Amino acid sequence: MIQSYKQLGKRYLKSNIKRTLLTLLAIILAVSLITTVGLFFKGSQAAQIENVKRLTGTSFHVGISNYDQETLDKVENNPNIDTYGLMSQGETIKLDDINVQYNYANKQAMKFLMYSIKKGRVPKNAEEAALDEWVIPYIHPNLKLHDSFVFNGKKYELVGLLENQDYTQEQKSGRFLTFKDTFTIGEGRILTSINPKSDMNKTIDGLKSLSDEKNIVVNHQLVKLLHPDKTMMSIVAIAISIVVISTIVVIYNAFQISVVERIKQFGLLRSIGATRKQLREIVLSEASILVFLAIPIGVLFSFLAVFILNLIFSYVMDGDNSIIQFAIDWKVVGICSLITMATVYASSYFPALFAGKISPLLAISSRLYIKKEGTKKQKRKTMKRPFSLPLSLALKNVKRNKNRYNVTILSIIISCVLFITFSFLMDIAFKTNTKKPSIIDITISINQNQASTKDIESIYKKLKQTYNIASVYKQYREQPFQITVPENKQIDVLRGRNMESSIKAYDQPSLHRLKDLVINGDIGDIIDSKQLNQHNGVILVKNGRSTNAETNKLYIGPLSNFKVGDKVNLTITGKEGIHTAQIMAIVESDLFSDELSNSLTFISSQEVVERITKSSPQFTGYGITTEDVSLDTSTSANIKQLFDSNQNISIINHIDMNNKASQNMLLIKVLVYGFMVVITLISSVNILNTITVSIIMRRKELAALKSIGMSQKNLKKMITYEGIIYGFFGSLQGIFFGLLLSYIIYLAISGTVEIGWSLPYQACLITFVAAIIISYLSVRMPLKKIERDNVIDVIREE
């Protein structure tokens, strides 16, 4: 028994369970997408914050040195300061050919430094210590975690190993970290953590005012992530706006179809006294039921999506060192649920408004949507059989109902825009990252600035024969030079900037590996030093970075428009004469550098560099790749024995830094590609749902065509053509609007970073092909149900 007219909405949902499930699915997808976007941005921000803490080894925001009691009191009593700690450096102890320096920290400062620990933990008292891992053999060759040892006349317990840093090994200055509770005024540095609820920039400015600028150290990388700039926030706002708009389209489509189907029912209700307001409330009550059912399910799906992403990331990386940790942020969930709820009510409001305006007489007589269609005289024959009839009918069906066509096309457009826009953002994320994965993973470097040619070759041969060493590459210092870039070879963005230039020598094994990075130039199977020597040839490194001194904008991309075969005039700094070289190949980046250079870089053989610079390339050491990285500590010890004790060398283990760089790149890839997978899946389901509902709505019309003699084969072809037509026109329009929105985002980003604009051809091609395939699959699914329908029963349906 119906006690309230609002129960009609509930009854309709139950009686049309299939339609209800499709609408519910659309809302669940909307909830999942919006919540996943919210959790994803929140989680990615937290992941990047943790990543920066690991890369820098610290988590403090601002450090203050040379402080007095007044400064310390102001920091201690500042309500915007969450916590602070004290840290200082002590005496330096000489061990063989290295130095070990004491580092003291109190309890809170140790919390800031915990990210520099590779194994174990930070010291908790003055009898515990943590050391750089590479220093261990100098203290005791068999020293392990939790062992006791004597250093500088005092006994300690080794509780932690610090990650090997390149700069400490280059300077031969190890770190000895231990606990200290009491500091004198002015000793060391105050490390502060700012309250997340306070204004970060104002608090930092306040701390800067406490001392001279030279005494203030700001952890800019961490601060920037905690408070993203306007450019980043605008990108996030655009992304969420796209998602909300796509959600409105999907849900509006579902409710509009539902209302149109029930025109006669609403007419009957109006004829027995129902008001317009009551009809609107019936539709809105359906929206309420669906939204309160969909939100919990959608939120669970979003949790599952983020959780699966976390599992994948943990599987790819070491589970104990995984940066992304699955966490439920109820504030984000609540905000996203409110946005979804507002979106659903906004989407259902116009169909509800339409239901309230239905005229009872026209609705009951079924004349509301009876319109005379215009006819056009065919000036030429349609395509010949077997495609003429199905294709011509498909074209007419697509154009016949403009409302249905617009809603379906708009759904495809939104999905295409989502994919192209986020693909563009993905490319931007990779382009603006100045760090890059090295082709050659150098695990051990040997710095040897002074050595004769005989010694260099002798050590080179011994290194190649050393156990666990896979490859050895000779390293040479870059030689700066001056170059005049012709007007037609300059990049427009870089005109007027002072361009630094340098040339670098490679040995033959390095030139052989450089072949993997060649993007232009016919140089055979390998890059041969004989080819370079014969033509006085050089290899241009295409990409780099440059900062505009006036606007402080960073440019990332090609530094010149030089082509293979061009001649370049080089003038070596401090030497007379102009030397002409020929560009024989262009490579994407320097083989051994893990960061984009800020100079126009050329690479060549040792002989060509010597010919141009009028001096031998300065040898700096060896780069070594190992077969088993777990044996690198013992390998470093074996390498040390190859050199005389009086030779000034530095052996640097890059494993920890390489792992950090690879984790950073992997983090970016997982975040970007993971989000792209979510966007792609939801966009695909969006198209599937829209086209499926559109076909199912026309069951009576399709049954009528079969009743007048249309074969099942031609019916299938007609519907298939309709799906392909939707996919074709929808994808083309989606690509256009996607490119337009991508360019708007590019203009927003160009306020801080200057990058070249180029059409995302690959994303456009994928979008076009995927839209047609998904549209095709969308019509194949309801066709199976239509095939099983009884023509007479379907025509009799009310």
Side-chain angles (χ1 to χ4, degrees), residues 286-544:
E286 295 174 17
S288 300
I289 294 171
L290 292 173
V291 76
F292 284 109
L293 286 173
I295 285 178
I297 300 173
V299 168
L300 287 176
F301 281 157
S302 65
F303 287 168
L304 183 62
V306 178
F307 183 69
I308 290 174
L309 179 62
N310 183 45
L311 288 179
I312 294 172
F313 195 84
S314 300
Y315 177 77
V316 175
M317 296 178 57
D318 181 3
D320 295 333
N321 296 322
S322 179
I323 299 172
I324 296 180
Q325 297 295 330
F326 175 71
I328 299 174
D329 191 325
W330 291 109
K331 183 178 179 181
V332 172
V333 172
I335 293 173
C336 292
S337 298
L338 288 175
I339 291 174
T340 305
M341 194 177 298
T343 302
V344 171
Y345 282 121
S347 305
S348 60
Y349 177 77
F350 290 102
L353 200 64
F354 171 75
K357 293 180 180 180
I358 293 175
S359 169
L361 293 177
L362 288 177
I364 293 172
S365 63
S366 301
R367 296 179 58 193
L368 185 64
Y369 274 99
I370 297 176
K371 295 181 181 179
K372 182 180 179 181
E373 296 182 8
T375 58
K376 293 183 180 180
K377 184 178 180 180
Q378 296 289 340
K379 294 184 178 180
R380 51 185 171 181
K381 295 182 179 179
T382 57
M383 296 176 62
K384 292 184 178 181
R385 285 180 177 270
F387 303 104
S388 58
L389 178 62
L391 182 56
S392 60
L393 285 176
L395 289 169
K396 289 181 178 180
N397 288 336
V398 166
K399 296 178 181 179
R400 181 162 50 87
N401 191 322
K402 289 186 177 180
N403 182 56
R404 182 176 64 209
Y405 173 81
N406 290 335
V407 170
T408 307
I409 288 292
L410 189 57
S411 178
I412 298 174
I413 290 173
I414 291 293
S415 299
C416 294
V417 169
L418 278 172
F419 183 82
I420 291 176
T421 304
F422 285 105
S423 296
F424 178 75
L425 289 174
M426 177 183 69
D427 292 337
I428 292 295
F430 289 125
K431 284 182 180 179
T432 54
N433 184 26
T434 57
K435 295 286 185 178
K436 64 177 186 62
S438 299
I439 299 299
I440 298 180
D441 193 10
I442 299 295
T443 54
I444 298 175
S445 290
I446 303 172
N447 289 351
Q448 186 182 22
N449 293 325
Q450 297 179 351
S452 64
T453 304
K454 182 179 179 181
D455 290 338
I456 292 171
E457 293 299 326
S458 174
I459 294 297
Y460 178 76
K461 292 178 180 178
K462 291 179 181 179
L463 286 171
K464 292 186 70 175
Q465 297 171 358
T466 302
Y467 175 73
N468 195 43
I469 290 181
S471 302
V472 182
Y473 304 93
K474 298 173 188 174
Q475 307 284 289
Y476 298 92
R477 191 179 305 280
E478 293 182 1
Q479 178 71 42
F481 67 86
Q482 298 173 355
I483 182 173
T484 301
V485 181
E487 188 76 17
N488 62 330
K489 299 297 181 181
Q490 294 180 20
I491 300 293
D492 292 337
V493 179
L494 301 179
R495 293 183 189 276
R497 297 191 193 181
N498 294 325
M499 183 66 66
E500 298 179 0
S501 306
S502 62
I503 189 167
K504 188 175 184 180
Y506 272 24
D507 63 355
Q508 185 54 51
S510 302
L511 289 172
H512 178 74
R513 292 297 303 275
L514 193 65
K515 170 70 177 178
D516 299 333
L517 292 176
V518 172
I519 56 178
N520 195 2
D522 185 12
I523 53 175
D525 295 333
I526 62 171
I527 300 177
D528 190 3
S529 58
K530 292 181 180 179
Q531 292 176 296
L532 298 173
N533 298 340
Q534 183 180 354
H535 299 88
N536 209 40
V538 293
I539 301 164
L540 171 66
V541 177
K542 179 181 180 181
N543 295 321

Side-chain angles (χ1 to χ4, degrees), residues 211-255:
S211 184
D212 294 336
E213 186 177 353
K214 63 181 180 180
N215 298 328
I216 304 296
V217 175
V218 180
N219 193 343
H220 290 289
Q221 285 182 286
L222 184 57
V223 170
K224 186 176 180 179
L225 283 174
L226 289 170
H227 285 264
D229 54 22
K230 293 182 179 178
T231 301
M232 182 57 65
M233 294 304 296
S234 63
I235 292 173
V236 174
I238 291 173
I240 293 177
S241 299
I242 294 172
V243 172
V244 171
I245 292 171
S246 64
T247 301
I248 290 174
V249 170
V250 174
I251 300 174
Y252 169 81
N253 179 38
F255 277 101

